[in-house]
Amino acid sequence: MEAHKARQHWLSVLAHSSPQQLLAHWPSTLQPQYQLLRAPETGLTRLQARMGGTGRRFILGDTTVTRAVVQLENGTCGYSYIIGRDKAHAERCALLDALLQDDSAQALHQQIIAPLAAARQEQLLLRSREVASSRVDFFTLVRGDN
């Protein structure tokens, strides 16, 4: 179960990374042999949201999604779904998913996933500060009928 959670974590980090961020951390020596099981393809998906975070679902809109599936020489498969149309980025994310499933991939995790996760946390923190700075606290004034 812990391996499942770890994989969910790195898939989330990869899905939220930009192509430039991923390439900045990509080791130049990393050139594994793999084959495409499902070439990167772009489609459309519908986004759902909830009112107030807890209410009824509603359709927020549509977005493009690119997915890819690769297989390493040892048979391990890697998958990716990213928002947008960058097919090369989807393929790199799928390749990393496959490589990270190996128990000896701790170096890759430290070199790629950890910095990308830290950048994502910083991005979320900046966004929450931005939202908090525009927050308006409403209060009720009691008017006297004098």
Side-chain angles (χ1 to χ4, degrees):
M1 190 60 149
E2 190 169 313
H4 182 71
K5 285 190 179 272
R7 187 169 184 210
Q8 282 180 332
H9 171 70
W10 78 59
L11 284 172
S12 174
V13 168
L14 290 171
H16 287 99
S17 69
S18 71
Q20 297 80 15
Q21 287 175 316
L22 185 57
L23 283 174
H25 297 288
W26 192 273
S28 60
T29 59
L30 185 60
Q31 298 176 349
Q33 296 298 314
Y34 66 95
Q35 68 178 11
L36 289 170
L37 292 182
R38 181 178 294 270
E41 58 187 358
T42 301
L44 194 65
T45 189
R46 180 157 284 168
L47 300 175
Q48 294 184 13
R50 291 187 181 266
M51 293 268 189
T54 59
R56 294 184 54 175
R57 290 183 185 190
F58 66 96
I59 303 301
L60 184 64
D62 296 327
T63 188
T64 55
V65 174
T66 304
R67 68 179 178 180
V69 181
V70 302
Q71 184 176 33
L72 298 177
E73 289 180 327
N74 67 5
T76 305
C77 293
Y79 303 83
S80 73
Y81 285 83
I82 60 162
I83 291 181
R85 299 172 180 264
D86 193 328
K87 292 180 178 182
H89 183 56
E91 188 174 329
R92 273 189 229 92
C93 289
L95 178 57
L96 273 175
D97 176 44
L99 292 170
L100 288 166
Q101 292 178 56
D102 188 4
D103 291 335
S104 63
Q106 190 62 27
L108 268 181
H109 194 279
Q110 293 301 319
Q111 191 171 8
I112 299 174
I113 300 301
L116 290 177
R120 174 78 176 144
Q121 282 302 107
E122 184 178 335
Q123 181 184 29
L124 290 174
L125 181 62
L126 290 174
R127 177 73 177 132
S128 68
R129 286 182 183 162
E130 181 181 311
V131 169
S133 71
S134 66
R135 183 178 175 159
V136 177
D137 290 323
F138 294 96
F139 59 92
T140 304
L141 293 175
V142 177
R143 291 177 52 182
D145 290 326
N146 297 23

